[in-house]
Amino acid sequence: WACMALFVFLGLVGLQSARMGVSGLIVELAQTELNRWAATQARRGLGELNRVAGYFSESLGIIADNPWALEGLGALDLARVRVSRTPAEAVAFTRDAHTRFRQALQLRPTAPFLWANIARSKLLLDEIDEDFFRAMRYADELGPWEPASQQTVLFAGLATWGKLDSGLRQSMAGILRRGSLRNAPKLYEIVKSYRRFDLVCGVAEYNSIAGPDCQRLEGGAKSGRRMNKG
C-alpha cells in the first residue's frame, strides 16, 4: 500500500508539473505578442486585445492561480480602457484590472510592478487613499531600479503631487536620480507632460535633454522678476 500511495502521489505531482508547464507556455505566447505590440507602439483594437486576453484566460483555465496570467489580463484590462466606448465601460475595465492585480499580488507580494499597477489602477479610479500611497511606497522600495515600475510610480506621483507627503515627494526625486542612469528620456517625458521642470533643472544627468526647457523656465522667471521690480 505504501508503494502504491507513493506512486499515486508522484503521479499527481507529475501531472501538476505538466499543467503548470502548459499554463506557463501559454502565458509566454501571450507575452510574446504583447512584446511585439510594445515594439511598434501602435494602438490595438478591442478585437486584438480580446484575442490575446483569451490566451491568458486559457492559462488560468489550466492553473487558476497563475500570477503571470492574472497580471497579463490586468494589463490588457487597462489597455481596454483606452478603447472603451463609454465612461461606465472604462470604469468596469479598470476595476477588473485592479481585482486581477490584487489576486496576482497575493501570489507574488514582492513584485514591484504589481504594486505599481495597483497604484495606476487606483489613480484611474480616482481613489487617492492610503491604499494608493502604500502601493506607491512598496513599488518604489521593491523595485528601485525597475524602469517600468519607475515610470508608473512617477506618473502617479506627479498626477497627485499636491496630495503626497514629504516622504513620497522625496521618493519621486529618488526615482528621477536613479532613473537618470538608464531611463532618463522616458522619465523626462513624464516630467514634461506635467511641466514639472523644477524637478530636473540643475540635475546634471538631465541637462542634455532638459536644457532648452530649463532655459526657457529660467528666462520666464527672470522676466517676471524684472516686471515686479518695474
Side-chain angles (χ1 to χ4, degrees):
W1 285 105
C3 290
M4 182 176 293
L6 178 61
F7 179 78
V8 171
F9 173 75
L10 292 176
L12 291 174
V13 170
L15 177 60
Q16 181 68 2
S17 296
R19 288 165 59 86
M20 290 177 65
V22 172
S23 178
L25 285 173
I26 295 173
V27 169
E28 287 184 16
L29 177 64
Q31 192 59 52
T32 298
E33 187 80 354
L34 294 181
N35 292 341
R36 184 176 65 82
W37 291 358
T40 62
Q41 296 185 339
R43 174 170 288 193
R44 303 293 167 173
L46 188 59
E48 286 186 283
L49 296 173
N50 289 341
R51 178 177 61 80
V52 177
Y55 293 138
F56 289 121
S57 296
E58 184 179 352
S59 174
L60 290 172
I62 300 170
I63 298 293
D65 58 352
N66 185 326
W68 290 273
L70 289 167
E71 184 176 1
L73 272 178
L76 285 174
D77 285 330
L78 290 185
R80 288 175 171 132
V81 171
R82 294 192 291 270
V83 296
S84 56
R85 291 162 293 190
T86 66
E89 190 175 61
V91 169
F93 284 141
T94 307
R95 292 206 178 279
D96 285 345
H98 184 261
T99 298
R100 298 189 206 278
F101 293 141
R102 280 288 181 198
Q103 291 171 334
L105 196 62
Q106 292 178 0
L107 302 163
R108 298 178 60 217
T110 60
F113 198 44
L114 279 173
W115 283 108
N117 272 328
I118 290 290
R120 181 185 176 192
S121 58
K122 289 187 71 67
L123 174 66
L124 292 174
L125 291 168
D126 197 26
E127 296 178 356
I128 312 305
D129 52 18
E130 184 52 40
D131 190 38
F132 168 80
F133 298 129
R134 184 186 305 111
M136 290 184 63
R137 291 189 189 97
Y138 280 137
D140 183 47
E141 292 171 6
L142 294 169
W145 298 98
E146 292 290 334
S149 182
Q150 289 176 342
Q151 290 167 219
T152 302
V153 174
L154 181 65
F155 181 88
L158 295 188
T160 57
W161 184 264
K163 298 180 180 180
L164 301 186
D165 62 23
S166 60
L168 276 172
R169 289 188 178 188
Q170 290 175 7
S171 294
M172 299 304 105
I175 286 173
L176 287 168
R177 286 196 304 272
R178 293 190 302 273
S180 68
L181 300 178
R182 58 173 180 167
N183 200 27
K186 290 185 178 180
L187 292 180
Y188 183 64
E189 285 302 312
I190 297 172
V191 169
K192 191 173 183 177
S193 69
Y194 285 100
R195 302 190 65 79
R196 290 306 309 265
F197 304 113
D198 55 300
L199 296 176
V200 295
C201 291
V203 179
E205 290 81 1
Y206 288 94
N207 284 346
S208 61
I209 54 177
D213 290 318
C214 290
Q215 289 171 8
R216 282 193 291 270
L217 181 67
E218 178 62 20
K222 288 181 179 178
S223 176
R225 288 194 292 270
R226 284 196 298 268
M227 291 179 65
N228 289 335
K229 287 180 180 179

